[in-house]
Amino acid sequence: AYERTCRYFARKSNSVVVSVGYRLAPKHPYPTQFEDCLTATIHFMRTAQDYGVDPSRIIICGDSSGGTLTAAVAQALVNRRDLPKLRAQILIYPFLQCVDFNLPSYQQNEGVPILLKERTLALGLKYLNKDLSIMEALFKGCHIPEDLQLKYQKWVSPDYIPHEFKTRGYKPSTTYPFSEELYTLIKPVFDPVFSPLLAEDSVIAQLPEAFILTCEYDVLRDDGLLYKKRLEDHGIKVTWCHLQEGFHGTVFLAACGEMIAFRS
């Protein structure tokens, strides 16, 4: 599905593009996908010169869940002294956190195709091989104990979303009781491999330069905005592109322009 997109990137950027065919859930459960991407990245970093690539100019990139994997791989490599440093990371409308599903972008775009709010969480739960019956409780935030709530609100909060992104309507969410049972069941969502926005400051501070693309009509818009803020707070250079008329999947669909058209 992504061959056309990868060929386009390679041609336009005059770069070698390696597309990782990582194994898919649910047949191959989480975190197989991350492990495959990390293994492939490390292999390429060690053999880059065999492909005519300067090891100091390697950039990793992904969109949507691929953006999650890109962020997680970049974090996993920060303390590796046996490998060259990544030149940069490109995150295209990435999913980055499982703490707050009521951020402004989730409220504003819950019914906007192609990534509906419910579909976002359903895909995440299938990725973890969890029952979809717990979706409503997750939307309410019942899965987060108070100590983690206090910790994560430093990084995940509507307070850090600029005012201009709240003008289409936003209401502060109601607080619901914590469920120990739900927390135990869903604990993996707090792993930075699943939610890279929850990585510790010591990791964030060592990350490479980033390019982050967000779309206005996308439930994941605010994940990108919050990660941008975290990186910049630690002095990491971020190039940010916001597509005011964009929606989730824009980049992939743009490469399929000959087959798909939208009325202007």
Side-chain angles (χ1 to χ4, degrees):
Y2 273 81
E3 182 172 346
R4 180 187 291 254
T5 305
C6 291
R7 285 181 179 274
Y8 178 86
F9 285 164
R11 187 170 67 250
K12 290 292 186 179
S13 63
N14 192 29
S15 302
V16 172
V17 173
V18 179
S19 181
V20 182
Y22 58 84
R23 290 168 290 175
L24 301 177
K27 183 178 179 182
H28 301 283
Y30 166 88
T32 302
Q33 298 69 28
F34 162 74
E35 291 166 350
D36 284 356
C37 288
L38 181 61
T39 299
T41 303
I42 291 172
H43 173 74
F44 185 76
M45 294 176 92
R46 286 176 171 159
T47 59
Q49 290 174 323
D50 295 348
Y51 300 91
V53 172
D54 180 346
S56 69
R57 300 183 67 188
I58 295 172
I59 298 170
I60 56 175
C61 170
D63 76 325
S64 194
S65 58
T68 316
L69 292 166
T70 298
V73 168
Q75 291 179 6
L77 293 173
V78 296
N79 290 316
R80 294 290 294 257
R81 300 291 173 254
D82 58 326
L83 297 168
K85 290 289 185 185
L86 285 173
R87 172 65 184 85
Q89 55 181 322
I90 297 175
L91 311 179
I92 302 172
Y93 33 76
F95 173 93
L96 297 171
Q97 60 85 28
C98 221
V99 171
D100 191 344
F101 294 105
N102 287 292
L103 291 168
S105 61
Y106 270 105
Q107 291 189 21
Q108 295 161 349
N109 304 308
E110 63 178 344
V112 176
I114 54 175
L115 193 63
L116 310 180
K117 178 176 175 176
E118 284 199 2
R119 180 170 170 77
T120 306
L121 190 47
L123 289 171
L125 290 172
K126 287 179 179 178
Y127 185 32
L128 294 171
N129 199 24
K130 303 295 182 183
D131 194 275
L132 301 189
S133 63
I134 63 174
M135 281 178 60
E136 191 59 37
L138 287 172
F139 282 141
K140 291 178 177 178
C142 300
H143 60 303
I144 312 168
E146 188 176 357
D147 60 329
L148 289 185
Q149 191 77 262
L150 290 170
K151 177 181 180 178
Y152 295 150
Q153 71 183 15
K154 299 180 297 181
W155 309 325
V156 184
S157 169
D159 295 343
Y160 301 137
I161 304 299
H163 176 72
E164 61 265 30
F165 293 104
K166 299 177 183 177
T167 55
R168 285 199 290 124
Y170 165 68
K171 293 181 180 179
S173 53
T174 306
T175 302
Y176 291 91
F178 166 63
S179 166
E180 181 73 45
E181 182 183 1
L182 182 62
Y183 170 65
T184 303
L185 181 67
I186 210 71
K187 218 172 181 179
V189 304
F190 300 115
D191 187 328
V193 168
F194 193 91
S195 296
L197 188 54
L198 306 183
E200 296 296 335
D201 287 338
S202 58
V203 172
I204 298 291
Q206 299 181 73
L207 286 170
E209 179 180 347
F211 174 93
I212 298 176
L213 184 141
T214 54
C215 292
E216 179 61 28
Y217 298 99
D218 181 7
V219 291
L220 300 183
R221 180 196 69 201
D222 293 350
D223 282 25
L225 295 178
L226 291 171
Y227 205 55
K228 172 181 178 288
K229 181 184 186 302
R230 278 207 77 191
L231 291 171
E232 290 176 337
D233 284 349
H234 287 277
I236 309 299
K237 182 182 177 183
V238 178
T239 301
W240 173 50
C241 175
H242 182 65
L243 302 182
Q244 192 59 47
E245 301 297 324
F247 55 91
H248 197 85
T250 292
V251 171
F252 172 72
L253 292 172
C256 302
E258 294 172 16
M259 296 177 281
I260 300 171
F262 298 94
R263 189 181 299 276
S264 61

